[in-house]
């Protein structure tokens, strides 16, 4: 009982934060859907869900998420093989470059694709502007890095001897992959595909900027119902359906990953140069580079176009409010706000994530303790199963009365962004802490070291790289967070993604050029952060 009490004590602060800033907003959102005029009315949710538009929105969300996931997996698995099992010049830089789209702001992704496939864009002749194809391509662009990272990390861990034995017995490369490699990679592929589907189903900025008035997902529909139509009950009903569907997906995914999850020896084989038989990996990686590179290149080129010529006028205009006072503050002010908010969100998510990782990775000495740790682990992963838009909506309707009136707090947006980044931080730190031999802690304790001294001398030397990597990811995610921030940020203190969205929504060449320039600045900042993370090369990042 003493160990369980200590366990709960360590988790007290994260549990309090989770209760006030996650469970309370989500429960308030659920109540908004079931309570009508002060009375419980579950039929109101059913009425919303039977609307023809709701059916169309849910169907589009499902099939576009499935299509985006399929494209990301089909391109990402062969690319993971080339980038993690083959050695060639520039491999690390290419791997870092392909990781950048995952943390790019979704609004930037939407703007980049619009610049590429719009009527005046290089691929405008294809007629994809405002189409479902553009949305699926944007979803795949955003998520292929998840597949490459997760499957690549698993591929690096494979013991090469079974494949070598199969090849020595006469199996072709295709047979070796089908009968030996693929079964071993199945848990990682299932895990990556489920996470990608989750991200595609809850995509906000990509669908909002590329879908226009024709296409809407559950995520964007919640936003439109709340901000444009003020139909909070319908928005809450959709949020409930989304929450139930995503929770079910997470449960199924955990079960699938547990089935036939082999214990793999750490590979001792070094990556070797690509061979002629690696043409599928080379082709897939080339397609990924095109998918990632073309929109980014179109974005940069568009930001430098000024009328019929070239120049930096769009970047100079970032110190203004745009034409016809499109903004209340200059873009540079929004950039400072984004950086300051990202710093706050980073230290918050790191503090909470470190406490959670310590709690869930310590060795359990009893079945009750193991169950408590498992329950806590599941609780702190809940933000992964709720979209940022739903979280922001919940903040909006619950944290507006004393003693929890946070409407005027400057920490409201950083707290929301920290919760969005929390699962990623935990999944980065937990594998590193879990890999520390508990006997080292026991030895330090037997020599008189207290818990803090033991952590500093035993855990911290192993943890410092994952901590820096988690900080980089949290910072980048915060810079690009748009869903929850779109509900919570004040007009006089917007973040960069909100400013970009406002600029593309206001007519005028100057405003659009400023949106492109601001997108390049935000993308470059994110890319620098991810290059630093890649330099750290923390294998546990693939676990996410």
């Amino acid at each position: 009982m003493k160990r369980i009490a200590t366990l709960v004590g360590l988790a007290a602060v994260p549990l309090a934060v989770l209760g006030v800033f996650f469970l309370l907003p989500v429960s308030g959102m659920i109540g908004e859907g079931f309570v009508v005029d002060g009375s419980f009315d579950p039929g109101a949710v059913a009425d919303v869900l039977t609307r023809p538009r709701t059916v169309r929105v849910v169907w589009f969300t499902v099939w576009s998420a499935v299509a985006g996931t399929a494209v990301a997996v089909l391109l990402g698995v062969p690319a993971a093989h080339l980038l993690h099992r083959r050695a060639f010049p520039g491999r690390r830089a290419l791997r870092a470059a392909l990781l950048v789209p995952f943390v790019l702001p979704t609004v930037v992704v939407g703007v980049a694709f619009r610049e590429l496939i719009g009527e005046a864009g290089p691929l405008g002749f294809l007629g994809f502007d405002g189409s479902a194809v553009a949305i699926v391509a944007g979803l795949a662009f955003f998520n292929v890095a998840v597949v490459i990272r997760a499957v690549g990390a698993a591929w690096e861990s494979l013991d090469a001897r079974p494949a070598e034995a199969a090849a020595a017995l006469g199996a072709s490369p295709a047979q070796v992959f089908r009968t030996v490699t693929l079964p071993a990679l199945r848990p990682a592929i299932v895990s990556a595909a489920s996470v990608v589907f989750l991200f595609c189903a809850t995509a906000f900025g990509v669908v909002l900027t590329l879908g226009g008035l024709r296409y809407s997902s559950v995520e964007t529909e919640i936003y439109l119902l709340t901000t444009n139509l003020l139909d909070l009950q319908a928005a809450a009903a959709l949020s409930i359906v989304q929450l139930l569907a995503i929770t079910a997906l997470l449960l199924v995914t955990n079960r699938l990953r547990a089935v036939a999850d082999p214990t793999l020896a750490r590979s001792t084989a070094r990556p070797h140069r690509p061979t002629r038989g690696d043409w599928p990996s080379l082709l897939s990686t080339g397609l990924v580079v095109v998918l990632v590179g073309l929109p980014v290149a179109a974005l940069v080129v568009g930001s430098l176009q000024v009328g019929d010529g070239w120049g930096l006028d769009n970047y100079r205009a970032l110190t203004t409010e745009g034409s016809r006072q499109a903004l209340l503050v200059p873009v540079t002010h929004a950039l400072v706000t984004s950086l300051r908010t990202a710093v706050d969100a980073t230290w918050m998510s790191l503090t909470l994530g470190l406490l959670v990782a310590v709690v869930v990775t310590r060795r359990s000495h009893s079945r009750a303790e193991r169950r408590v740790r498992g329950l806590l682990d599941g609780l702190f992963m809940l933000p992964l199963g709720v979209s940022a838009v739903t979280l922001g909506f919940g903040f909006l309707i619950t944290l507006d009365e004393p003693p929890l009136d946070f409407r005027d707090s400057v920490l409201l947006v950083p707290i929301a962004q920290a919760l969005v980044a929390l699962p990623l931080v935990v999944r980065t730190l937990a594998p590193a802490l879990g890999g520390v031999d508990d006997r080292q802690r026991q030895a330090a304790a037997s020599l008189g070291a207290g818990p803090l001294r033991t952590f500093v001398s035993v855990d911290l030397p192993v943890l410092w790289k994952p901590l820096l990597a988690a900080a980089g990811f949290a910072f980048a995610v915060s810079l690009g967070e748009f869903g929850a921030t779109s509900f919570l940020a004040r007009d006089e203190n917007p973040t960069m993604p909100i400013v970009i969205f406002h600029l593309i929504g206001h007519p005028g060449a100057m405003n659009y050029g400023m949106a492109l320039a601001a997108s390049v600045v935000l993308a470059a900042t994110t890319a620098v952060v991810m290059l630093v993370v890649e330099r750290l090369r923390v294998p546990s990042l693939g676990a996410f």
Side-chain angles (χ1 to χ4, degrees), residues 142-410:
F142 191 70
N143 290 295
V144 69
V146 177
V147 179
I148 293 175
R149 173 66 81 162
V151 177
W155 222 319
E156 287 181 345
S157 301
L158 289 182
D159 189 347
R161 290 172 295 183
E164 293 170 352
L169 293 174
S172 66
Q175 290 175 321
V176 172
F177 177 77
R178 188 177 65 253
T179 59
V180 179
T181 307
L182 187 59
L185 290 176
R186 184 177 62 184
I189 295 175
V190 170
S191 176
S194 63
V195 171
V196 169
F197 181 86
L198 178 66
F199 289 152
C200 289
T202 57
F204 180 56
V206 172
V207 180
L208 192 63
T209 53
L210 294 178
L213 299 176
R214 185 177 178 186
Y215 296 101
S216 183
S217 65
V218 171
E219 194 89 344
T220 58
E221 189 72 3
I222 294 171
Y223 175 78
L224 295 174
L225 286 170
T226 305
T227 58
N228 292 8
L229 302 178
L230 299 178
D231 190 350
L232 298 184
Q233 185 182 24
L238 281 176
S239 297
I240 293 169
V241 172
Q242 186 184 53
L243 175 62
L244 294 175
I246 292 175
T247 302
L249 173 66
L250 290 174
L251 292 175
V252 171
T253 300
N254 287 335
R255 185 170 182 83
L256 288 175
R257 281 190 298 180
V259 174
D261 191 356
T263 301
L264 302 174
R266 183 68 183 176
S267 175
T268 57
R270 293 190 176 186
H272 55 80
R273 298 185 65 83
T275 63
R276 185 177 301 177
D278 290 326
W279 67 266
S281 299
L282 292 168
L283 176 62
S284 177
T285 305
L287 291 175
V288 172
V289 171
V290 171
L291 176 67
V292 171
L294 280 182
V296 175
L299 180 67
V300 174
V301 171
S303 71
L304 296 172
Q305 288 181 329
V306 183
D308 296 329
W310 304 87
L312 298 175
D313 293 9
N314 292 327
Y315 291 89
R316 296 189 185 100
L318 297 182
T319 58
T320 71
E321 290 82 18
S323 64
R324 302 178 183 177
Q325 296 295 308
L327 305 172
L328 294 180
V329 297
V331 178
T332 49
H333 177 88
L335 178 60
V336 173
T337 300
S338 289
L339 293 173
R340 184 174 62 246
T341 303
V343 170
D344 289 335
T346 298
W347 70 257
M348 291 177 186
S349 60
L350 277 183
T351 302
L352 294 175
L354 182 58
L355 287 173
V356 173
V358 170
V359 168
V360 301
T361 57
R362 285 299 185 265
R363 184 178 179 183
S364 299
H365 288 229
S366 66
R367 180 175 298 180
E369 187 179 349
R370 189 179 304 111
R371 288 178 177 175
V372 171
R373 291 187 191 277
L375 178 62
L376 291 173
D377 190 20
L379 280 175
F380 293 118
M381 287 300 103
L382 281 178
L384 185 63
V386 176
S387 72
V389 167
T390 299
L391 185 62
F393 179 29
F395 273 45
L396 196 67
I397 63 177
T398 57
L399 302 180
D400 59 346
E401 295 181 358
L404 298 176
D405 187 357
F406 287 93
R407 288 173 299 179
D408 297 328
S409 175
V410 296

Side-chain angles (χ1 to χ4, degrees), residues 429-445:
L429 300 180
L433 276 176
V436 177
D437 191 343
D438 199 51
R439 291 173 295 184
Q440 297 181 21
R441 301 188 184 103
Q442 295 171 1

Side-chain angles (χ1 to χ4, degrees), residues 17-32 390-399 419:
V17 173
L18 191 72
V20 173
F21 295 105
F22 180 78
L23 297 180
L24 179 62
V26 170
S27 62
M29 173 268 298
I30 294 175
E32 190 72 26
T390 299
L391 185 62
F393 179 29
F395 273 45
L396 196 67
I397 63 177
T398 57
L399 302 180
L419 286 174

